[in-house]
Amino acid sequence: MDNAVSNDVAGVTLACPVCDDGRPLDVLRRYERIGLAELRYCPRCYGFWVAKDALSHGVADENEGHPALLAAVGPARCKLCFGHIKPDGACAKCGAPPRTLTCPGCSAAMQRDLRGKLWLDTCASCGGCWFDTGELAATYRLVPPQGLAMRKIDEHATDRDLPLWLQAIGILARVFLPLR
């Protein structure tokens, strides 16, 4: 775990509010954009805890390939039976009521707020926010990094998109240098 550093804040260990085992949150190292607060994630469920000002300078540099940042948003599932969650937050399979998360920062009950198309858990007491798996990537439109060569290649280009002199060289090469 090279991205993990001390997960204590003022002597208090921050724990994942989603994982039932109280798993400690790791710090996501950000080299190019350093915010006032650290960005923390759960290495098990890839959820993110964002303190009030942790995203004031962005999420991460464009070459960051951390799997927690690039996880996709999946369908909401019940923690008890793994059934689908209805729009009201209750489980469609077992009928369990919507689950209220406990804030990792101040231990207050978090409320669910609709932001765009996503329901995010926010804390009115400390201003923190919990992003479930993939919600941070969806909110900030993060995409997997590509190498320099992939950024320069147009996958849909055709020979007709090339200059005429380069098209002529391609035709002559095929005539005089046939593939074996």
Side-chain angles (χ1 to χ4, degrees), residues 146-155:
Q146 296 179 341
L148 181 60
M150 287 305 293
R151 289 186 201 160
K152 301 298 180 189
I153 294 175
D154 181 2
E155 296 174 358

Side-chain angles (χ1 to χ4, degrees), residues 96-157:
R99 184 175 177 186
T100 302
L101 298 182
T102 302
C103 176
C106 68
S107 300
M110 299 179 81
Q111 59 192 24
R112 295 190 53 82
D113 294 324
L114 183 62
R115 294 195 184 162
K117 295 181 180 180
L118 300 174
W119 285 94
L120 300 179
D121 297 285
T122 58
C123 180
S125 178
C126 70
C129 184
W130 178 260
F131 290 86
D132 288 320
T133 307
E135 291 178 343
L136 190 71
T139 301
Y140 288 92
R141 297 184 184 121
L142 301 177
V143 294
Q146 296 179 341
L148 181 60
M150 287 305 293
R151 289 186 201 160
K152 301 298 180 189
I153 294 175
D154 181 2
E155 296 174 358
H156 305 289

Side-chain angles (χ1 to χ4, degrees), residues 63-76:
N63 295 316
E64 178 64 56
H66 196 283
L69 281 175
L70 304 175
V73 176

Side-chain angles (χ1 to χ4, degrees), residues 5-177:
V5 294
S6 174
N7 61 351
D8 294 341
V9 175
V12 177
T13 300
L14 299 179
C16 178
V18 174
C19 295
D20 293 329
D21 60 358
R23 182 173 302 267
L25 298 176
D26 288 344
V27 175
L28 180 74
R29 291 184 189 256
R30 298 182 292 169
Y31 300 101
E32 281 74 13
R33 297 188 180 139
I34 300 172
L36 301 175
E38 295 171 318
L39 186 60
R40 296 176 177 267
Y41 74 100
C42 176
R44 180 176 181 201
C45 70
Y46 285 162
F48 276 90
W49 167 247
V50 178
K52 187 174 187 176
D53 59 354
L55 294 176
S56 60
H57 295 285
V59 177
D61 68 290
E62 66 179 36
N63 295 316
E64 178 64 56
H66 196 283
L69 281 175
L70 304 175
V73 176
R77 297 289 190 158
C78 176
K79 291 291 179 188
L80 301 174
C81 70
F82 205 61
H84 291 282
I85 301 294
K86 297 186 294 187
D88 66 355
C91 177
K93 186 175 181 182
C94 72
R99 184 175 177 186
T100 302
L101 298 182
T102 302
C103 176
C106 68
S107 300
M110 299 179 81
Q111 59 192 24
R112 295 190 53 82
D113 294 324
L114 183 62
R115 294 195 184 162
K117 295 181 180 180
L118 300 174
W119 285 94
L120 300 179
D121 297 285
T122 58
C123 180
S125 178
C126 70
C129 184
W130 178 260
F131 290 86
D132 288 320
T133 307
E135 291 178 343
L136 190 71
T139 301
Y140 288 92
R141 297 184 184 121
L142 301 177
V143 294
Q146 296 179 341
L148 181 60
M150 287 305 293
R151 289 186 201 160
K152 301 298 180 189
I153 294 175
D154 181 2
E155 296 174 358
H156 305 289
T158 63
D159 285 345
R160 290 182 297 237
D161 297 334
L162 297 173
L164 288 176
W165 64 271
L166 199 50
Q167 289 180 35
I169 290 174
I171 292 169
L172 290 173
R174 278 180 248 155
V175 170
F176 291 108
L177 301 171

